[in-house]
Amino acid sequence: MRALEADRLDRLFFVAYKKAVRDQDLAAIDRTLRIMERRARLLGLDMPVRTEMSGPDGGPVQVENVTVDELDALIALTDPDGE
């Protein structure tokens, strides 16, 4: 399925690319870039995004032990459908 989608994107790319290069059409250039981005995501060509978490003022994240009852109470506070 991935190969089929890549082939479809390739076909769309070449249509948009020809128009972008031949006519210097800005909309076609944007479309070409979007197709390239989609193809890179499909094929895993982009580097994964690294996310770093930190606590207050860039310090370490505090990890605390909580009981099941405390966790249930926190979920109840944040659950919009909670009763």
Side-chain angles (χ1 to χ4, degrees):
M1 195 65 191
R2 188 170 291 151
L4 176 63
E5 288 299 316
D7 184 54
R8 289 174 178 165
L9 288 170
D10 286 344
R11 290 171 188 243
L12 293 170
F13 171 80
F14 287 117
V15 170
Y17 182 76
K18 286 178 188 176
K19 185 165 181 66
V21 172
R22 183 184 54 230
D23 301 337
Q24 298 181 354
D25 182 319
L26 294 180
I29 292 170
D30 287 342
R31 184 59 47 104
T32 301
L33 291 172
R34 288 186 65 206
I35 293 168
M36 291 169 64
E37 289 169 359
R38 176 66 186 114
R39 190 171 191 282
R41 278 193 318 272
L42 176 70
L43 300 177
L45 301 177
D46 293 334
M47 294 276 297
V49 175
R50 183 177 176 170
T51 303
E52 186 173 317
M53 295 176 54
S54 62
D57 299 321
V61 174
Q62 296 291 326
V63 178
E64 299 178 14
N65 292 329
V66 296
T67 66
V68 173
D69 291 336
E70 291 172 322
L71 185 56
D72 285 338
L74 287 171
I75 291 170
L77 287 173
T78 59
D79 185 6
D81 296 327
E83 301 289 322

